[in-house]
């Protein structure tokens, strides 16, 4: 099965630090507005998804949720979670006090990958 999301070593290291401090986590990536389109990290259950939002996979036992409209736009793309030294838009994400910001890099799936994508989970 082809994963829809992976993470860089830097992102995994930061997730582990945040898990030690906050426990179980979740990611949510919206399609715009205040938080832009960067992923936000919350304590698990600290953000309520909307009907139709999509979990595209997990990183370090942390679900990665995507706004339903953003998913429709990017459903043919692989996400790679990374982290940079910067103060993110909005500042609601758990990494903000550490002066870090999660970000996503995208690439389009190959035709072969499209045939074996991991299933997604929807909020119903």
């Amino acid at each position: 099965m082809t994963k829809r999301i992976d993470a860089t070593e830097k992102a995994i290291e930061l997730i582990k630090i945040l898990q030690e401090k906050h426990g179980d986590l979740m990611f949510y990536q919206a399609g715009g507005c205040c938080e832009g389109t960067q992923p936000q990290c919350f304590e698990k259950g600290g953000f309520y998804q909307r009907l139709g939002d999509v979990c595209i996979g997990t990183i370090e036992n942390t679900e990665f949720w995507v706004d339903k409209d953003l998913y429709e736009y990017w459903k043919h793309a692989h996400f790679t979670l990374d982290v940079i030294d910067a103060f993110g838009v909005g500042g609601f994400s758990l990494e903000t006090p550490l002066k870090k910001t999660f970000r996503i890099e995208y690439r389009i799936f190959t035709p072969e990958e499209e045939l074996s994508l991991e299933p997604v989970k929807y909020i119903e």
Side-chain angles (χ1 to χ4, degrees), residues 31-102:
C33 187
C34 304
E35 69 280 354
T37 55
Q38 73 187 56
Q40 301 285 304
C41 183
F42 301 100
E43 292 179 359
K44 187 173 184 172
F47 182 87
Y48 296 103
Q49 304 95 321
R50 299 176 306 155
L51 286 177
D53 285 347
V54 183
C55 178
I56 62 169
T58 60
I59 302 167
E60 295 297 309
N61 298 313
T62 300
E63 291 181 333
F64 194 99
W65 289 89
V66 177
D67 170 86
K68 62 184 178 180
D69 296 327
L70 185 67
Y71 174 74
E72 282 303 312
Y73 187 76
W74 285 107
K75 66 183 173 186
H76 299 288
H78 179 272
F79 289 43
T80 300
L81 183 68
D82 197 9
V83 66
I84 57 172
D85 294 326
F87 182 79
V89 177
F92 301 114
S93 195
L94 292 175
E95 78 281 3
T96 300
L98 302 175
K99 299 181 181 173
K100 305 282 185 189
T101 298
F102 285 109

